[in-house]
Amino acid sequence: MLSKKTGLLHINLGTPESPEPKDVGNYLREFLMDPLVIDIPFLVRWLLVKCLIVPRRSFQSSRLYKKIWTEQGSPLLVYTRSLSRKVQTELGEGFVVLPAMRYGKPSIAESLKALREAGVARLVALPLYPQYSLAASESSIAEFNRQAELILPGVPRHTVPAFYDHEAYLNAVAEVSQPHLKKAEKILFSFHGIPERHVKKTDLTGKHCLTSPNCCDSIGEANKNCYRAQSYATARALASKLGLDPKDWEVGFQSRLSGTPWIRPYSDAFYEDLPKSGTKRLTVLTPSFVADCLETLEEVQIRGDESFREAGGEKLTLVPSLNDHDAWTKAVVKIATAGLSVEHTP
């Protein structure tokens, strides 16, 4: 018989099981073969991923992962697991809180089976992506629903929407960031990039997104699911909470791939251009990442700092992601339970 417990899944994107080329290749294949990630015909995607991208990038990415790997494992998985344990403590016995990875382990299916064993009566999925995107949010939601229908059919389920403007999330980012801003000359809010075509696919009118320089200045019906617009909204809200003057901060998008247009402006362009205009110390916040990972620790903290110094800067400082910070733990409780009729014992 089902208990009255609620199963809460913290879904993050994923990570290789190890930094070795074989495991990195397995992860890349699973990730890049998702039609919501590379949205081209299957045969073309299969040839591109398995014959071109993975054979080359497995070894390249392996070298990068080895730079940020810890004794406990992948930082993203270590922090996500720790967050789940802390949220479990906050929510108490009425919940079973588990991490799940969209790609890699523990998979969504594995975590749902564990929740089935725990006899949960309701499911809540929290995709740990503040801003909505097809490649991360929608893919995770689709997989959660598909697996839940197979593993826990008939059990009521709820998916927490993107929380880019949730006060608890914004307050947590502000609290974590504040101590690192004292010596900053310029702040860069660096969000993960996505292809322009992904943005256009979420435009409900087909006439708004990326059609003008100010298309992301506000959010309305046409762009309510636009990743770029939500990123700018997050940056504006954080700048207000942190008391930043408009001239003191910029927004950039990182982690782009070649072959197709990606949303602009590019974060790495700021690393090269800001020193030329006199900025010697740059502080980077990465609000689309709630756990430190390859894209923050290697791409920003290591390579970003190198690029900034080579261009004439003195120091690039990466603000830590929310990780398992106490403020983020409490924010997750608020975000995950908002609108639910639940009882928990903090």
Side-chain angles (χ1 to χ4, degrees):
M1 179 178 291
L2 291 176
S3 68
K4 292 184 179 181
K5 291 186 177 182
T6 297
L8 172 59
L9 278 193
H10 290 155
I11 305 176
N12 216 323
L13 197 66
T15 179
E17 290 189 63
S18 84
E20 297 304 321
K22 180 180 178 182
D23 286 330
V24 172
N26 290 337
Y27 170 72
L28 288 175
R29 271 188 290 271
E30 184 182 5
F31 172 47
L32 297 174
M33 281 303 295
D34 187 333
L36 287 172
V37 175
I38 299 183
D39 50 344
I40 58 178
F42 173 80
L43 182 58
V44 180
R45 183 170 68 252
W46 189 94
L47 291 170
L48 180 65
V49 171
K50 298 199 175 186
C51 299
L52 292 177
I53 298 178
V54 171
R56 182 179 73 251
R57 289 192 62 191
S58 294
F59 291 90
Q60 294 175 350
S61 295
S62 172
R63 290 192 291 271
L64 302 181
Y65 272 110
K66 287 177 180 178
K67 293 181 181 181
I68 60 104
W69 214 260
T70 72
E71 291 184 1
Q72 294 76 33
S74 163
L76 181 143
L77 182 56
V78 170
Y79 284 125
T80 305
R81 280 177 167 160
S82 178
L83 175 68
S84 294
R85 289 193 294 267
K86 294 179 72 171
V87 171
Q88 176 71 78
T89 300
E90 285 286 319
L91 287 172
E93 296 181 356
F95 283 77
V96 181
V97 184
L98 293 176
M101 299 290 131
R102 173 61 185 93
Y103 313 103
K105 295 183 177 180
S107 69
I108 292 174
E110 290 170 335
S111 294
L112 283 172
K113 289 175 182 176
L115 292 179
R116 181 179 62 188
E117 291 299 312
V120 298
R122 174 169 52 184
L123 295 171
V124 176
L126 173 58
L128 291 171
Y129 322 118
Q131 298 77 27
Y132 173 85
S133 69
L134 293 173
S137 311
E138 191 60 35
S139 179
S140 295
I141 293 166
E143 180 67 4
F144 166 71
N145 285 327
R146 186 176 76 84
Q147 294 293 348
E149 196 63 38
L150 294 171
I151 297 167
L152 283 161
V155 175
R157 57 184 184 268
H158 167 72
T159 300
V160 179
F163 48 88
Y164 69 96
D165 60 349
H166 197 292
E167 280 295 305
Y169 157 70
L170 295 169
N171 287 337
V173 176
E175 182 173 336
V176 170
S177 302
Q178 193 71 62
H180 302 273
L181 305 184
K182 296 177 181 178
K183 297 182 178 180
E185 295 177 6
K186 181 77 78 171
I187 307 294
L188 175 64
F189 294 104
S190 184
F191 296 83
H192 200 292
I194 63 173
E196 288 185 357
R197 67 179 185 274
H198 285 198
V199 166
K200 292 177 180 178
K201 281 185 175 182
T202 62
D203 183 348
L204 300 179
T205 66
K207 300 176 181 179
H208 180 86
C209 289
L210 305 180
T211 60
S212 69
N214 60 351
C215 63
C216 293
D217 285 357
S218 61
I219 293 182
E221 189 63 22
N223 66 345
K224 65 181 182 181
N225 291 322
C226 173
Y227 174 84
R228 188 174 184 270
Q230 291 185 2
S231 296
Y232 270 97
T234 295
R236 289 191 296 267
L238 288 172
S240 177
K241 285 185 176 295
L242 293 168
L244 303 179
D245 190 274
K247 64 180 175 57
D248 294 334
W249 59 275
E250 303 283 355
V251 171
F253 297 92
Q254 63 179 83
S255 312
R256 72 185 186 277
L257 300 176
S258 59
T260 188
W262 283 53
I263 55 176
R264 296 170 183 265
Y266 299 146
S267 295
D268 55 2
F270 286 109
Y271 304 154
E272 298 175 3
D273 294 342
L274 286 175
K276 298 174 185 177
S277 59
T279 298
K280 296 300 181 181
R281 295 189 300 275
L282 174 65
T283 299
V284 182
L285 280 71
T286 54
S288 58
F289 302 93
V290 300
D292 277 316
C293 55
L294 187 72
E295 286 82 358
T296 64
L297 299 173
E298 194 283 325
E299 185 178 348
V300 177
Q301 186 166 263
I302 297 176
R303 273 189 289 150
D305 184 52
E306 291 173 354
S307 297
F308 186 67
R309 290 173 184 270
E310 288 173 2
E314 295 178 358
K315 176 64 176 175
L316 182 153
T317 300
L318 171 68
V319 173
S321 294
L322 294 168
N323 294 326
D324 59 352
H325 194 282
D326 288 347
W328 178 223
T329 299
K330 295 183 183 301
V332 166
V333 170
K334 292 181 180 178
I335 293 167
T337 59
L340 296 180
S341 176
V342 296
E343 294 182 1
H344 65 274
T345 54

